Amino acid sequence: MSGARLLIDADACPVVEIALREAKARGVEVLLVCDDAHEMRREGACTVTVARGDNSADLRLVNLLKPGDIVVTQDYGLAALCLARAARVLDQNGRIYDEGNIDALLSMRHLAAKARRAGGRVKGPPRRRSEQDEAFRLALEEMLDQAGDSAVRS
């Protein structure tokens, strides 16, 4: 496989085990990036732990990125930073972040934060379903396979 790696924004990520299985099957290096409040160790992955702080794990993940790496995150802001660093990015439900959708997602995040600051409530995500896990697995599998195909052509 190429030098493409899989970096996971591991703070509260529900698909770490799925991602590890898919990466292991393809010989892809995995980095779990988390803060010391969510520290985790998994076989087959290197854990990068940072001190707690606003966006400390996110900033560390971005600084570790190389072009072509794959990132798993549910944070739109982090996704935008990763796209700017030529990474491929998807969320825990298999949605691929790209230049065509990131601005709208950031705008929705801004509006939700504005509503919360004004005292409004924003409904949280529904309970996780097995269909979401499967959608994530399929999207990650395709992304990892594309990274492998690119490495063969290089």
Side-chain angles (χ1 to χ4, degrees), residues 68-88:
D69 282 345
I70 298 169
V71 177
V72 177
T73 184
Q74 56 189 326
D75 182 317
Y76 301 154
L78 176 56
L81 292 172
C82 294
L83 288 171
R85 299 282 305 260
R88 289 168 286 178

Side-chain angles (χ1 to χ4, degrees), residues 7-50:
L7 288 81
I8 302 174
D9 178 13
D11 294 343
C13 180
V15 293
V16 170
E17 299 305 326
I18 296 168
L20 286 172
R21 273 194 314 272
E22 294 301 320
K24 181 179 180 182
R26 290 162 181 81
V28 174
E29 179 184 359
V30 178
L31 299 174
L32 302 174
V33 183
C34 55
D35 68 29
D36 56 12
H38 299 96
E39 187 171 352
M40 62 170 50
R41 303 268 179 228
R42 296 291 190 283
E43 186 177 328
C46 174
T47 300
V48 177
T49 306
V50 299

Side-chain angles (χ1 to χ4, degrees), residues 23-154:
K24 181 179 180 182
R26 290 162 181 81
V28 174
E29 179 184 359
V30 178
L31 299 174
L32 302 174
V33 183
C34 55
D35 68 29
D36 56 12
H38 299 96
E39 187 171 352
M40 62 170 50
R41 303 268 179 228
R42 296 291 190 283
E43 186 177 328
C46 174
T47 300
V48 177
T49 306
V50 299
R52 252 172 278 192
D54 283 348
N55 301 315
S56 59
D58 295 350
L59 294 174
R60 181 71 175 129
L61 189 149
V62 169
N63 286 323
L64 290 168
L65 271 180
K66 296 177 186 171
D69 282 345
I70 298 169
V71 177
V72 177
T73 184
Q74 56 189 326
D75 182 317
Y76 301 154
L78 176 56
L81 292 172
C82 294
L83 288 171
R85 299 282 305 260
R88 289 168 286 178
V89 190
L90 74 160
D91 76 4
Q92 75 282 359
N93 298 323
R95 173 180 33 205
I96 308 295
Y97 297 109
D98 59 30
E99 299 304 325
N101 65 13
I102 195 65
D103 287 339
L105 294 168
L106 288 169
S107 180
M108 287 186 331
R109 180 180 83 159
H110 172 73
L111 292 174
K114 191 173 174 181
R116 284 191 300 275
R117 282 192 305 273
R121 296 180 59 122
V122 178
K123 188 175 178 179
R127 184 179 302 267
R128 187 150 186 90
R129 299 181 330 273
S130 61
E131 293 89 353
Q132 292 167 299
D133 288 344
E134 182 63 7
F136 170 78
R137 186 189 66 75
L138 291 171
L140 178 61
E141 183 178 87
E142 182 175 337
M143 208 174 261
L144 289 167
D145 289 344
Q146 288 172 353
D149 291 345
S150 296
V152 170
R153 280 186 249 115
S154 304

